[in-house]
């Protein structure tokens, strides 16, 4: 784990009478770097591989999308690694606190590829002329019945040979395996300083908001959308990332 001075996530540290559904508000945006690194196994690795993939897949004069961009970690690593001219990074999030903090974070970067920030629902954003699209732990927050529509829109907006990087929290059909992976994941969180109380409160708050699906469901949806290759490149416990190529 990197040793940075991020503000510590203590959002679920106190007993709360009634847990309300998780939202991406000001309080969350304020501690989000710390939260992601202590809550997503391998988050730092995934971000750095998004950078590596950018180097070899970004095509000149195309758009690179970061959908559900939060504080712009994926956008920034793409910006640093684009090695061709005429690209634009389009970062979209529907949380204004996230977009506002992201604007502060990206403002000092001195790179030739611009980042355009858009505060909008990713369901409403047009995808066009894209050589790369990143959905890094965002699809899981989209209502299940809208997910195929979004994946099809991304497919249509990608150029031939373009890639979608899809990272998700996943579930398993095998109940025992599912339980074991969740237990390992909770131990991961404990290992990184979250208490049992924080872990169970966060779990409850996310229950109606973050809906994980199995890898099979993701693969079928991506093939149905006509992606040529769907490759699992990363899995750690119940977190996974896929590269789908048009
Ligand atoms: C990262 N990708 O650091 N439209 C736009 N944004 C949305 C929507 C929507 N319909 N639903 C949720 N979001 C980032 C991490 S976090 C993952 C992504 C997590 C946004 C939401 O506001 C939040 O910023 C982001 O998706 C999910 O690489 O919190 O587990």
């Amino acid at each position: 784990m990197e040793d940075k001075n991020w503000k510590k996530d203590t959002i679920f540290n106190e007993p709360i009478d009634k847990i309300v559904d998780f939202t991406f508000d000001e309080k969350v945006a304020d501690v989000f770097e710390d939260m992601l690194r202590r809550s997503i196994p391998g988050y730092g690795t995934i971000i750095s591989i998004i950078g590596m993939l950018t180097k070899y897949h970004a095509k000149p004069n195309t758009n690179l999308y970061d959908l559900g961009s939060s504080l712009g970690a994926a956008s920034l690593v793409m910006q640093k690694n684009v090695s061709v001219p005429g690209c634009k990074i389009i970062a979209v999030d529907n949380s204004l606190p996230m977009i506002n903090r992201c604007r502060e974070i990206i403002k000092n970067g001195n790179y030739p590829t611009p980042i355009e920030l858009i505060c909008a629902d990713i369901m409403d954003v047009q995808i066009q002329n894209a050589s790369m699209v990143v959905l890094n732990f965002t699809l899981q927050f989209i209502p299940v019945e809208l997910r195929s529509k979004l994946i099809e829109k991304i497919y249509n907006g990608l150029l031939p040979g373009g890639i979608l990087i899809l990272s998700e929290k996943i579930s398993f059909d095998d109940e025992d395996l599912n339980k074991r992976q969740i237990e390992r994941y909770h131990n991961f969180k404990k290992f990184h300083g979250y208490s049992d109380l924080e872990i169970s409160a966060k779990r409850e708050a996310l229950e109606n908001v973050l809906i994980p699906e199995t890898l099979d469901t993701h693969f079928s949806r991506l093939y149905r959308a006509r992606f040529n290759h769907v490759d699992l490149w990363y899995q750690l416990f119940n977190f996974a990332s896929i590269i789908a190529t048009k």
Side-chain angles (χ1 to χ4, degrees):
M1 187 123 327
E2 292 164 73
D3 187 19
K4 293 238 173 96
N5 262 340
W6 286 307
K7 188 167 171 189
K8 192 167 184 208
D9 165 25
T10 57
I11 289 179
F12 292 99
N13 209 5
E14 297 296 326
I16 311 165
D17 291 343
K18 191 178 175 307
I19 307 274
V20 293
D21 281 352
F22 188 81
T23 52
F24 293 96
D25 57 13
E26 199 87 47
K27 260 177 26 199
V28 169
D30 201 32
V31 297
F32 202 62
E33 287 105 333
D34 178 65
M35 181 185 284
L36 283 186
R37 278 165 179 77
R38 291 198 293 140
S39 306
I40 299 185
Y43 175 79
T45 302
I46 295 172
I47 291 294
S48 86
I49 295 298
I50 290 173
M52 187 215 89
L53 290 167
T54 305
K55 195 160 191 92
Y56 302 106
H57 289 274
K59 297 283 178 289
N61 307 313
T62 63
N63 295 325
L64 315 179
Y65 289 85
D66 179 9
L67 304 178
S69 46
S70 302
L71 300 184
S75 294
L76 281 168
V77 79
M78 288 198 271
Q79 187 185 42
K80 282 185 194 149
N81 285 286
V82 173
S83 56
V84 292
C87 287
K88 179 160 88 172
I89 294 159
I90 300 169
V92 185
D93 204 291
N94 64 354
S95 155
L96 190 59
M98 287 290 183
I99 290 281
N100 285 342
R101 266 183 68 84
C102 184
R103 185 164 288 116
E104 283 301 303
I105 291 170
I106 67 174
K107 77 176 176 203
N108 296 324
N110 190 14
Y111 297 95
T113 307
I115 300 178
E116 182 187 339
L117 280 183
I118 302 178
C119 188
D121 191 317
I122 56 176
M123 295 306 300
D124 300 331
V125 168
Q126 232 196 336
I127 311 287
Q128 54 193 0
N129 189 34
S131 55
M132 255 180 98
V133 176
V134 172
L135 269 176
N136 204 34
F137 302 104
T138 305
L139 189 67
Q140 58 196 19
F141 294 105
I142 300 298
V144 173
E145 66 279 9
L146 298 181
R147 292 181 187 181
S148 292
K149 193 170 160 212
L150 177 62
I151 295 295
E152 281 157 23
K153 175 170 82 170
I154 291 171
Y155 177 87
N156 289 330
L158 276 167
L159 296 161
I163 59 165
L164 163 65
I165 302 164
L166 173 65
S167 312
E168 288 276 289
K169 187 176 192 179
I170 55 169
S171 59
F172 301 85
D173 282 329
D174 179 327
E175 268 179 42
D176 288 340
L177 172 61
N178 202 46
K179 250 168 91 184
R180 289 198 300 278
Q181 296 288 45
I182 289 174
E183 194 182 325
R184 289 174 187 132
Y185 173 51
H186 288 167
N187 285 340
F188 172 91
K189 292 188 76 170
K190 269 195 242 177
F191 190 70
H192 290 107
Y194 285 111
S195 68
D196 288 331
L197 177 82
E198 285 175 292
I199 293 169
S200 70
K202 173 90 179 271
R203 190 176 187 190
E204 209 179 305
L206 280 174
E207 201 152 274
N208 305 314
V209 181
L210 189 170
I211 315 284
E213 296 175 300
T214 63
L215 278 177
D216 268 1
T217 303
H218 287 298
F219 272 63
S220 307
R221 182 182 290 121
L222 290 161
Y223 280 126
R224 254 198 330 272
R226 291 177 291 135
F227 278 94
N228 265 334
H229 305 293
V230 181
D231 304 325
L232 179 71
W233 73 270
Y234 179 89
Q235 187 189 335
L236 209 174
F237 307 144
N238 49 344
F239 289 79
S241 190
I242 292 167
I243 301 173
T245 310
K246 176 159 174 173

